[in-house]
Amino acid sequence: MSGGEVAGVLVAVFWAILVSFLAVALARLAQTLRATTKLVADVTEQAVPLLADASTAVRSAQTQIDRVDAIASDVQEVTSNASALSTTVASTFGGPLVKVAAFGYGVRRAISRKAGPEAKEMPAKPSRRTVIVGRTVPAARRGKRDNRNKRD
């Protein structure tokens, strides 16, 4: 064998090895593509019903939001009506009730003044208060302080 023939055999062997590697790589690529196609088909089968369920849930939520909006507007209207009714009642009955209360107070005061001597025999004890640094101290607390001072 000559040098050219040996070189031709070597090139043919390397070429056969290269084609074998390419064939194995293409076979694995085909297998990967089949698996990917199957996976995409399975995901599509599961995604379509999920999207339909999600669409139904969104429609249901929109319906509930519309109902809540209607309820909120009704509550606002009821609140407005209650406020108007409260104002009407206060203006209608407020003045006369204040007058009746003032009249009752006046009658009680007149009766207590008319009692006369009995009321004067036991005069009301005036509330004595002492101001300490801008504060008013009730008599009961001041008495306790006075007793402490007497002991010293």
Side-chain angles (χ1 to χ4, degrees):
M1 259 193 193
S2 68
E5 290 175 344
V6 172
V9 170
L10 286 176
V11 169
V13 169
F14 285 125
W15 183 254
I17 292 172
L18 178 65
V19 168
S20 299
F21 282 130
L22 288 175
V24 170
L26 286 174
R28 289 194 179 174
L29 180 63
Q31 183 182 10
T32 305
L33 286 175
R34 272 188 243 116
T36 304
T37 303
K38 185 177 183 252
L39 180 65
V40 167
D42 290 344
V43 167
T44 302
E45 276 182 26
Q46 294 176 2
V48 170
L50 286 175
L51 290 174
D53 290 345
S55 176
T56 303
V58 167
R59 281 192 206 106
S60 174
Q62 182 62 38
T63 303
Q64 296 300 325
I65 288 173
D66 291 342
R67 288 181 184 170
V68 168
D69 189 35
I71 290 170
S73 66
D74 290 344
V75 166
Q76 184 179 10
E77 185 178 338
V78 167
T79 303
S80 158
N81 291 342
S83 175
L85 179 65
S86 172
T87 303
T88 303
V89 167
S91 65
T92 303
F93 296 114
L97 285 177
V98 169
K99 290 177 184 176
V100 167
F103 178 75
Y105 176 74
V107 168
R108 276 184 299 176
R109 191 141 187 212
I111 288 174
S112 68
R113 283 187 184 172
K114 196 173 189 180
E118 296 115 20
K120 290 183 181 178
E121 288 176 8
M122 294 182 61
K125 183 177 178 182
S127 174
R128 292 183 13 183
R129 296 179 179 247
T130 305
V131 177
I132 300 173
V133 190
R135 292 188 178 190
T136 302
V137 178
R141 290 178 69 192
R142 189 184 65 246
K144 289 179 183 177
R145 286 192 178 149
D146 290 342
N147 291 340
R148 288 182 194 159
N149 290 338
K150 289 178 183 177
R151 289 181 199 162
D152 292 339

